[in-house]
């Protein structure tokens, strides 16, 4: 079977929360080659933001570390891997529960994994206490008639950010 | 973020314009709490018209302010939320506590 499209990128950045926006915008720009809908872009950006926040806030707990992000495109599917070498998750099943948080005093909602799971097709978590956490998630970009809408809007490099920022409104 | 206090109705309106994530929330939170404590409003409105992105940090932001506003006897309303952000609020169960109004009703049906 031949692959219609294969591509990959990697970035590494310090565990500073300023970089959350950088990470999700980098992924959004990279996957633009698949002509995703505005909604698909927004879903993926939100999931990336949640995973990166988890690494920064929970993995490294404010200490400086490196967050690694790998994004792959295989045919019309996007695979995103976000990993840290922070403290790891004690119990993954418990951490995935909606509203579970170890930091409720800091106004954390405990919705990170729930959002990742509902916005992506698949989310896998690997974690070893003291060694770090890796989140692998994937989403298929649909190639159907809804694509026509995005094609009309011509997501070029210059206006892609504006389109992404305009949210689903752009589909009018 | 722009905030306006309408004396007559004791109404405080925040026009949010930032992308709402873990990073931006730290700053927004502090400014909002200061304004709320300064004016002691009867009603607070978060206008999301210009918010293009929000992750789960936004849930914490709204819950935290809701608690403060409730404590001083005020009411909170969240207005003009995009359908993407509405999905996040729906997941959190926040809709049971706080009126959150979508920008365009038709867009909700789109999902």
């Amino acid at each position: 079977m031949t692959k219609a499209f294969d591509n990959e990128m990697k970035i590494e950045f310090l565990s500073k929360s300023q970089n959350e926006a950088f990470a999700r915008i980098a992924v959004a720009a990279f996957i633009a080659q698949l002509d995703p809908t505005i909604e698909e872009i927004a879903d993926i950006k939100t999931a990336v933001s949640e995973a990166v926040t988890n690494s920064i806030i929970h993995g490294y707990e404010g200490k400086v570390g490196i967050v690694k992000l790998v994004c792959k495109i295989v045919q019309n599917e996007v695979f995103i891997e976000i990993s840290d070498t922070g403290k790891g998750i004690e119990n993954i099943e418990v951490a995935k529960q909606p509203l579970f948080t170890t930091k409720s005093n800091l106004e954390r909602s405990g919705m990170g994994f729930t959002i990742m799971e509902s916005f992506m097709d698949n989310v896998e978590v690997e974690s070893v206490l003291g060694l770090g956490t890796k989140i692998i998630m994937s989403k298929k970009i649909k190639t159907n008639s809804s694509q026509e809408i995005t094609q009309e809007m011509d997501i070029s490099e210059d206006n892609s950010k504006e389109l992404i920022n305009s949210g689903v409104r752009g589909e009018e | 973020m722009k905030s306006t206090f309408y004396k007559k109705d004791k109404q405080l309106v925040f026009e949010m314009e930032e992308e709402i994530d873990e990073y931006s929330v730290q700053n927004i939170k502090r400014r909002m709490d200061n304004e709320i404590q300064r004016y002691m409003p009867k009603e607070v409105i978060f206008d999301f018209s210009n918010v293009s992105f929000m992750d789960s940090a936004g849930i914490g932001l709204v819950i935290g302010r809701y608690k403060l506003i409730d404590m001083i006897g005020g009411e909170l309303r969240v207005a003009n939320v995009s359908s993407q952000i509405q999905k996040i609020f729906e997941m959190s169960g926040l809709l049971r506590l706080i009126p959150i109004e979508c920008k365009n009703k038709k867009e909700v049906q789109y999902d």
Side-chain angles (χ1 to χ4, degrees), chain A residues 70-94:
Chain A
V70 183
C71 185
K72 289 177 196 171
I73 292 171
V74 180
Q75 295 184 340
N76 62 331
E77 197 167 6
V78 178
F79 293 84
I80 300 165
E81 203 179 287
I82 291 163
S83 54
D84 62 68
T85 53
K87 71 171 202 174
I89 301 169
E90 208 174 313
N91 186 330
I92 295 171
E93 286 317 305
V94 172

Side-chain angles (χ1 to χ4, degrees), chain B residues 54-69:
Chain B
M54 186 190 91
D55 66 14
S56 68
I59 302 169
L61 174 77
V62 173
I63 294 177
R65 309 299 69 70
Y66 169 77
K67 284 184 187 159
L68 173 66
I69 294 161

Side-chain angles (χ1 to χ4, degrees), chain A residues 89 91 94-103 108-112:
Chain A
I89 301 169
N91 186 330
V94 172
K96 279 180 165 179
Q97 300 286 317
L99 306 177
F100 173 84
T101 176
T102 50
K103 294 185 166 55
R108 309 265 171 240
S109 61
M111 292 297 290

Side-chain angles (χ1 to χ4, degrees), chain A residues 58-61 63 84-91 126-133:
Chain A
H58 299 285
Y60 293 116
E61 291 190 302
K63 291 183 214 95
D84 62 68
T85 53
K87 71 171 202 174
I89 301 169
E90 208 174 313
N91 186 330
E126 294 166 14
S127 192
V128 180
L129 267 187
L131 289 179
T133 301

